[in-house]
Coordinates of all heavy atoms in Angstrom, one line a residue:
S123 N 156.5 133.0 60.4 CA 157.0 131.8 60.8 C 157.6 131.8 62.2 O 158.1 132.8 62.7 CB 158.1 131.3 59.8 OG 159.3 131.9 60.1
V124 N 157.5 130.6 62.9 CA 158.1 130.5 64.2 C 159.6 130.7 64.1 O 160.2 131.3 65.0 CB 157.8 129.1 64.8 CG1 158.5 128.9 66.1 CG2 156.3 128.9 64.9
G125 N 160.2 130.3 62.9 CA 161.6 130.5 62.7 C 162.0 132.0 62.8 O 163.1 132.3 63.3
L126 N 161.2 132.9 62.2 CA 161.5 134.3 62.2 C 161.5 134.8 63.7 O 162.3 135.6 64.0 CB 160.5 135.1 61.4 CG 160.9 136.5 61.1 CD1 162.1 136.7 60.3 CD2 159.7 137.2 60.4
F127 N 160.6 134.3 64.4 CA 160.5 134.7 65.8 C 161.7 134.3 66.6 O 162.3 135.0 67.4 CB 159.2 134.1 66.5 CG 159.0 134.5 67.9 CD1 158.7 135.8 68.3 CD2 159.1 133.5 68.9 CE1 158.5 136.1 69.6 CE2 158.9 133.8 70.2 CZ 158.6 135.1 70.6
D128 N 162.2 133.1 66.2 CA 163.3 132.4 67.0 C 164.7 132.7 66.4 O 165.7 132.4 67.0 CB 163.0 130.9 66.8 CG 163.8 130.1 67.9 OD1 164.0 130.6 69.0 OD2 164.3 129.0 67.6
Y129 N 164.7 133.5 65.4 CA 165.9 133.8 64.7 C 167.0 134.3 65.5 O 168.2 133.9 65.4 CB 165.4 134.9 63.6 CG 166.4 135.6 62.8 CD1 166.3 135.6 61.4 CD2 167.3 136.5 63.4 CE1 167.2 136.3 60.6 CE2 168.1 137.3 62.6 CZ 168.1 137.2 61.3 OH 168.9 137.9 60.5
P130 N 166.7 135.3 66.5 CA 167.8 135.7 67.4 C 168.4 134.6 68.3 O 169.6 134.7 68.6 CB 167.2 136.8 68.2 CG 165.9 137.1 67.6 CD 165.5 135.9 66.9
V131 N 167.7 133.6 68.6 CA 168.2 132.5 69.3 C 169.2 131.7 68.5 O 170.3 131.3 69.0 CB 167.1 131.5 69.9 CG1 167.7 130.4 70.7 CG2 166.2 132.4 70.8
L132 N 168.9 131.5 67.2 CA 169.8 130.8 66.3 C 171.1 131.6 66.2 O 172.2 131.1 66.1 CB 169.1 130.6 65.0 CG 170.0 129.9 63.9 CD1 170.5 128.5 64.3 CD2 169.2 129.8 62.6
M133 N 170.9 132.9 66.1 CA 172.1 133.8 66.0 C 173.0 133.7 67.2 O 174.2 133.8 67.2 CB 171.6 135.3 65.8 CG 172.7 136.3 65.6 SD 172.1 137.7 64.8 CE 173.4 138.9 65.3
A134 N 172.3 133.6 68.4 CA 173.1 133.5 69.7 C 173.8 132.1 69.6 O 175.1 132.1 70.0 CB 172.1 133.5 70.8
S135 N 173.2 131.1 69.1 CA 173.9 129.8 69.0 C 175.1 129.9 68.1 O 176.2 129.4 68.4 CB 172.9 128.8 68.4 OG 173.5 127.7 67.9
D136 N 175.0 130.6 67.0 CA 176.1 130.9 66.1 C 177.3 131.4 66.8 O 178.4 130.9 66.7 CB 175.8 131.9 65.0 CG 174.7 131.5 64.0 OD1 174.3 130.3 64.0 OD2 174.1 132.4 63.4
I137 N 177.0 132.4 67.6 CA 178.1 133.2 68.2 C 178.7 132.4 69.4 O 179.9 132.2 69.5 CB 177.5 134.6 68.8 CG1 177.0 135.4 67.6 CG2 178.6 135.3 69.6 CD1 176.2 136.6 68.1
L138 N 177.8 131.8 70.2 CA 178.3 131.1 71.4 C 179.1 129.8 71.1 O 180.0 129.5 71.8 CB 177.1 130.9 72.4 CG 176.3 132.1 72.8 CD1 175.3 131.8 73.8 CD2 177.2 133.2 73.3
L139 N 178.6 129.2 70.1 CA 179.4 127.9 69.7 C 180.8 128.1 69.5 O 181.6 127.2 69.7 CB 178.8 127.3 68.3 CG 177.6 126.5 68.4 CD1 177.2 126.1 67.0 CD2 177.8 125.2 69.2
Y140 N 181.2 129.3 69.0 CA 182.6 129.5 68.7 C 183.4 130.3 69.8 O 184.5 130.7 69.6 CB 182.7 130.2 67.3 CG 182.1 129.3 66.3 CD1 180.8 129.4 65.9 CD2 182.9 128.3 65.7 CE1 180.2 128.6 65.0 CE2 182.4 127.5 64.9 CZ 181.0 127.5 64.5 OH 180.5 126.6 63.6
Q141 N 182.7 130.5 70.9 CA 183.3 131.2 72.1 C 183.9 132.5 71.6 O 185.0 133.0 71.9 CB 184.4 130.4 72.7 CG 183.9 129.0 73.2 CD 183.0 129.0 74.4 OE1 182.5 130.0 74.8 NE2 182.7 127.8 74.9
A142 N 183.1 133.2 70.7 CA 183.5 134.5 70.1 C 183.5 135.6 71.2 O 182.5 135.8 71.8 CB 182.7 134.8 68.9
G143 N 184.6 136.3 71.2 CA 184.7 137.5 72.2 C 184.1 138.7 71.5 O 183.6 139.6 72.1
I144 N 184.3 138.8 70.2 CA 183.7 140.0 69.5 C 182.9 139.6 68.3 O 183.1 138.5 67.6 CB 184.9 140.9 69.0 CG1 185.7 140.4 67.9 CG2 185.8 141.4 70.2 CD1 186.2 141.5 66.9
V145 N 181.9 140.4 68.0 CA 181.0 140.1 66.9 C 180.8 141.4 66.1 O 180.1 142.3 66.5 CB 179.6 139.7 67.4 CG1 178.6 139.3 66.3 CG2 179.7 138.5 68.4
P146 N 181.7 141.5 65.0 CA 181.6 142.8 64.2 C 180.3 142.8 63.3 O 180.2 142.0 62.4 CB 182.9 142.7 63.3 CG 183.3 141.3 63.3 CD 182.6 140.6 64.5
V147 N 179.5 143.7 63.6 CA 178.2 143.8 62.8 C 177.8 145.3 62.6 O 178.4 146.2 63.2 CB 177.0 143.2 63.7 CG1 177.0 141.7 63.6 CG2 177.0 143.7 65.1
G148 N 176.8 145.5 61.8 CA 176.2 146.9 61.6 C 175.3 147.1 62.8 O 174.9 146.2 63.6
E149 N 174.9 148.4 62.9 CA 174.1 148.9 64.0 C 172.8 148.0 64.2 O 172.4 147.8 65.4 CB 173.7 150.4 63.6 CG 173.0 151.1 64.6 CD 173.7 151.4 65.9 OE1 174.9 151.9 65.8 OE2 173.1 151.2 67.0
D150 N 172.2 147.6 63.1 CA 170.9 146.9 63.2 C 171.0 145.6 64.0 O 170.0 145.0 64.4 CB 170.2 146.8 61.9 CG 171.1 145.9 60.9 OD1 172.3 145.7 61.2 OD2 170.5 145.4 60.0
Q151 N 172.2 145.0 64.1 CA 172.3 143.7 64.8 C 172.7 143.8 66.3 O 172.8 142.8 66.9 CB 173.3 142.9 64.0 CG 172.9 142.5 62.6 CD 171.6 141.7 62.6 OE1 171.4 140.8 63.4 NE2 170.8 142.1 61.6
K152 N 172.8 145.0 66.7 CA 173.3 145.2 68.1 C 172.4 144.5 69.2 O 172.8 143.8 70.1 CB 173.4 146.7 68.4 CG 174.0 147.0 69.7 CD 174.4 148.5 69.8 CE 174.9 148.8 71.2 NZ 174.3 150.1 71.7
Q153 N 171.1 144.7 69.0 CA 170.1 144.2 69.9 C 170.2 142.6 69.9 O 170.1 142.0 71.0 CB 168.7 144.6 69.5 CG 167.7 144.4 70.6 CD 166.3 144.7 70.1 OE1 166.0 144.6 68.9 NE2 165.4 145.2 71.0
H154 N 170.5 142.0 68.7 CA 170.6 140.6 68.7 C 171.8 140.1 69.4 O 171.8 139.0 70.1 CB 170.6 140.1 67.2 CG 169.3 140.3 66.5 ND1 169.3 140.4 65.1 CD2 168.1 140.4 67.0 CE1 168.0 140.5 64.8 NE2 167.3 140.5 65.9
V155 N 172.9 140.8 69.3 CA 174.2 140.4 70.0 C 174.0 140.6 71.5 O 174.4 139.7 72.3 CB 175.4 141.2 69.5 CG1 176.7 140.7 70.2 CG2 175.6 141.0 68.0
E156 N 173.2 141.6 71.9 CA 172.9 141.7 73.3 C 172.1 140.5 73.9 O 172.3 140.1 75.0 CB 172.2 143.1 73.6 CG 173.3 144.2 73.8 CD 172.7 145.5 73.5 OE1 171.5 145.8 73.4 OE2 173.6 146.4 73.5
L157 N 171.2 140.1 73.0 CA 170.4 138.9 73.5 C 171.3 137.7 73.6 O 171.2 136.9 74.6 CB 169.3 138.5 72.5 CG 168.5 137.3 72.9 CD1 167.4 137.6 73.8 CD2 168.0 136.5 71.7
A158 N 172.3 137.6 72.7 CA 173.3 136.4 72.8 C 174.1 136.6 74.2 O 174.3 135.6 74.8 CB 174.2 136.5 71.7
R159 N 174.4 137.8 74.5 CA 175.1 138.0 75.8 C 174.2 137.5 77.0 O 174.7 136.8 77.9 CB 175.4 139.5 76.0 CG 176.5 140.1 75.2 CD 176.5 141.6 75.5 NE 176.9 141.9 76.8 CZ 178.2 142.0 77.2 NH1 179.2 141.8 76.5 NH2 178.4 142.3 78.5

Side-chain angles (χ1 to χ4, degrees):
S123 77
V124 175
L126 189 64
F127 182 69
D128 199 33
Y129 172 120
V131 178
L132 179 61
M133 182 162 157
S135 162
D136 298 342
I137 298 166
L138 302 185
L139 273 178
Y140 298 93
Q141 306 288 10
I144 71 148
V145 184
V147 283
E149 183 68 46
D150 63 341
Q151 295 300 318
K152 189 168 172 219
Q153 197 186 26
H154 291 157
V155 182
E156 274 158 10
L157 179 85
R159 284 176 66 86

